[in-house]
Amino acid sequence: MDLGFLALAFGLLFIGGCSARVVTVSPGPLIRVEGQPVSIRCDVNDYEGPSEQDFEWEMSRDAKGPKIKMVSTFDSSFSDPSLSKRVASGDISVVRLQDNEAELKIAEVKSQDSGFYLCRTTSTDSVISGNYEAQVQIKVIPKTLKVSPQTPPPVVLEGNDLTLSCNVTRELNYPTYLSVTWLVKKGTTSEEILTFGPQGDVVTGSKFARRYLDGGLRLVPGRNGLFELVISRVTTSDQGTYECNGTEWTHESGGKWTKIVESTKEMGTVTVTPTGHFLNVKASSSSSSSPSVLLSPGNMLTLFCYVFADNLPVLSLEMTWLADGREIITMDHSGLVISNTSLNGAQAKPGQATLERTGGGEYRLGVRGVSGEDGGIYTCRVRAFIEKGGRSTGGGGRWHLAAEKMSNPVTVKVSETTSES
């Protein structure tokens, strides 16, 4: 009997030894910022007994210092009197996440909360085996994060660049890292444009990824915490209220990046003035500012088209001359000249109509050897394009049509008689 009992006892010990309780918490130390929420998860595995396990939390200022009872999942009177008010207010609490997992939560961590936190589970095993508690250190640091944006210009002309400057700093006494994010708010919704950091990487918002690849967004890191984001060739879709977010991170054991504090500041509202609001086009003859021109058959017709715009240097212009509404000749925004049909519908003869750019916003039309069929009402039409980029894979969507304007009419008359000698 004694030998049988010993064999049975040995078998039970062997079976129990195959399943050793394991209690784990997050690897530390954990760096957290004063005034911010803190949570520490604790789980238990490979245990015997009921599936729902109980947890209790204690803390000590030093690794081997006296323990202070905090909270428990099964004993409402567990807390030390020094923490009773914080527990009653909900500043310190424990939340059961699963049968085998609980979370200690501190709503606003204080500097005196720095210390070592011990999670313990009560035994429900037939044989004591494994570990029943785990400990992690929390270091509470002061909040030193500062986000100081510069106010952008309230009005930007379409096609110009917009620079968004933001200063993000923190004290360098602790091993933390920074990231800066620019956002634009339209209505009540904020969209992320671009984030730099915390490990020197760049992440763009989904709507801005192509633009960043095309060079339409440029990050300019500066000194002493100054970061600049340049939005090139803005369009009316870029207007809105811009924000800057600074975030402080810690890189914890296991390669996990943890956000410990952030601050978002409004930079200012930017309105983009459409090109069409200030684009003007004027047509005139070379001889006078009269709205009409009288020529004899065989003469040379010369007309000028003048384009005026506050943002003219950033515009790519397509200029077309029309006679009685029919296109005669076009210079596209790349400078290529396309000669169309003459007024009577016949194919234009080589050299009959010419078009050249004689200045930044000045175009000259020449028609040689005019006849009566070349008379009519002449206007010039200007289409203003803004380059959107296009260096990324796929190419399309390189140009944005910003505005289209027609000039005043110039009446051209060709007399049917010639003067006597």
Side-chain angles (χ1 to χ4, degrees), residues 46-184:
D46 299 333
Y47 56 89
E48 294 180 344
S51 59
E52 184 176 282
Q53 294 287 292
D54 282 308
F55 300 81
E56 56 188 28
W57 286 89
E58 297 177 343
M59 70 90 63
S60 60
R61 309 296 182 199
D62 303 310
K64 296 183 180 180
K67 299 289 192 296
I68 302 173
K69 294 181 177 181
M70 297 186 72
V71 284
S72 166
T73 58
F74 65 96
D75 184 0
S76 58
S77 62
F78 180 78
S79 306
D80 187 272
S82 64
L83 299 177
S84 58
K85 288 184 178 180
R86 295 180 68 182
V87 173
S89 68
D91 183 39
I92 296 176
S93 62
V94 62
V95 178
R96 182 183 295 280
L97 303 178
Q98 299 182 53
D99 287 346
N100 68 327
E101 185 176 10
E103 183 177 51
L104 172 68
K105 302 183 75 172
I106 303 177
E108 294 185 8
V109 71
K110 306 178 188 300
S111 59
Q112 61 264 32
D113 292 329
S114 289
F116 295 83
Y117 288 74
L118 182 74
C119 172
R120 180 181 293 112
T121 62
T122 55
S123 176
T124 59
D125 305 319
S126 60
V127 176
I128 301 298
S129 178
N131 68 306
Y132 288 78
E133 60 186 34
Q135 182 172 270
V136 62
Q137 182 183 12
I138 291 183
K139 295 181 179 180
V140 181
I141 66 175
K143 182 180 178 181
T144 61
L145 177 69
K146 292 183 179 179
V147 178
S148 305
Q150 296 180 14
T151 303
V155 179
V156 180
L157 300 182
E158 187 176 23
N160 287 353
D161 291 353
L162 171 63
T163 299
L164 302 171
S165 301
C166 191
N167 195 270
V168 180
T169 59
R170 54 73 171 91
E171 289 185 4
L172 298 174
N173 300 331
Y174 308 96
T176 61
Y177 305 81
L178 292 177
S179 70
V180 57
T181 300
W182 287 268
L183 308 96
V184 60

Side-chain angles (χ1 to χ4, degrees), residues 166 168 177-182 192-205 212 218-222 225-229 245-249:
C166 191
V168 180
Y177 305 81
L178 292 177
S179 70
V180 57
T181 300
W182 287 268
E192 288 192 10
I193 303 172
L194 181 144
T195 297
F196 175 66
Q199 51 185 342
D201 55 331
V202 173
V203 178
T204 56
Y212 175 72
R218 291 185 291 109
L219 178 66
V220 185
L226 178 65
F227 299 88
E228 291 185 340
L229 179 67
N245 170 281
T247 301
E248 190 171 3
W249 302 77

Side-chain angles (χ1 to χ4, degrees), residues 310-332:
D310 295 340
N311 63 344
L312 189 62
V314 302
L315 298 178
S316 292
L317 303 176
E318 175 190 282
M319 210 288 295
T320 300
W321 276 101
L322 304 95
D324 289 341
R326 179 176 296 170
E327 296 181 1
I328 298 174
I329 194 167
T330 297
M331 179 182 290
D332 69 14

Side-chain angles (χ1 to χ4, degrees), residues 389-405:
R391 293 192 297 273
S392 65
T393 303
R398 184 177 177 82
W399 298 96
H400 163 66
L401 177 59
E404 178 177 323
K405 285 289 180 72

